[in-house]
Amino acid sequence: MRRFKQDLEKEINEWVADDLIHEDQAMLILQRYGITPGQSYNLGYTLLIGLGFLFIGLSVITLIGANWDDIPRVARMSGLIVLTASTHLVGIWFYGKLHVNKSIACFFLGNFFFGGSVILIAQIYHLGEHMPDGVYWWALGCLPLVVLLHSRLLAIQMMVLALLWFYLEINLGYYPATLPLFLAAAAYVLVRSEVSAILFLTIFAHLGLWLEYSLSVYWAQGGQLNWEAEHLIVTVGFFAAAYGFSQ
């Protein structure tokens, strides 16, 4: 059915381009089959595109970092801002053309540039009082796009960054009180988009870790993830909940 919807949307767009049907008729046909324009996709193709943009983002950040000392400070700042802004503007342009998947891919890449900019600009001005803050603002910068686009890919990207921030915080003895904010955003996407087992398990794992750590702080009055006997009850409860959702 997913493949059928993808092919049907492509055919309908060609019918409109050839003036065989009007745009209003095309929208009615799409609505009949529950197709949102620009959101049909092939999982394997989407995965390959996502990996491609991931490696592009990492390679650009590595290239800039390797030549960081040889670049003038003004060029560093302007280059990072232009790179991040231009990638997001291209994503907005694609979204305006109803190419939702292409816009999400651009935002996915742009989020890497945004994170690299946060870290590298902090390095320029020696802003390192609390290192996990950089990862936190990186994840927080992804959140509005996640909510607005209902993108599972961007939600998973945000949750991975939130998990990294979670571990950095607790290793320094701080309590990650705002992790539920990211959980709520990801849960909103899960409800508004198609069912995604990967996103669901990501949210479930994050929620479990956060609750277990919260209980560690409450029971042991410490800043580390200490496993107490009471955690077994919570863990069993999570397994029961997971089994219920699986049914």
Side-chain angles (χ1 to χ4, degrees), residues 127-141:
L127 305 175
E129 289 82 1
H130 189 62
M131 189 266 290
D133 284 348
V135 182
Y136 176 78
W137 288 109
W138 186 358
L140 194 63

Side-chain angles (χ1 to χ4, degrees), residues 159-230:
M159 294 305 294
V160 170
L161 293 171
L163 180 63
L164 178 60
W165 168 73
F166 170 83
Y167 274 111
L168 290 173
E169 282 284 86
I170 66 175
N171 283 334
L172 294 176
Y174 292 91
Y175 181 70
T178 55
L179 186 65
L181 176 65
F182 301 106
L183 291 171
Y188 174 77
V189 173
L190 187 65
V191 172
R192 293 297 300 270
S193 62
E194 294 183 8
V195 176
S196 171
I198 296 176
L199 180 57
F200 174 79
L201 291 174
T202 302
I203 296 171
F204 208 71
H206 281 67
L207 179 61
L209 286 170
W210 181 73
L211 286 178
E212 296 283 24
Y213 179 74
S214 299
L215 293 175
S216 295
V217 174
Y218 176 75
W219 281 322
Q221 299 299 319
Q224 298 296 325
L225 187 58
N226 301 314
W227 298 103
E228 305 291 338
E230 292 85 354

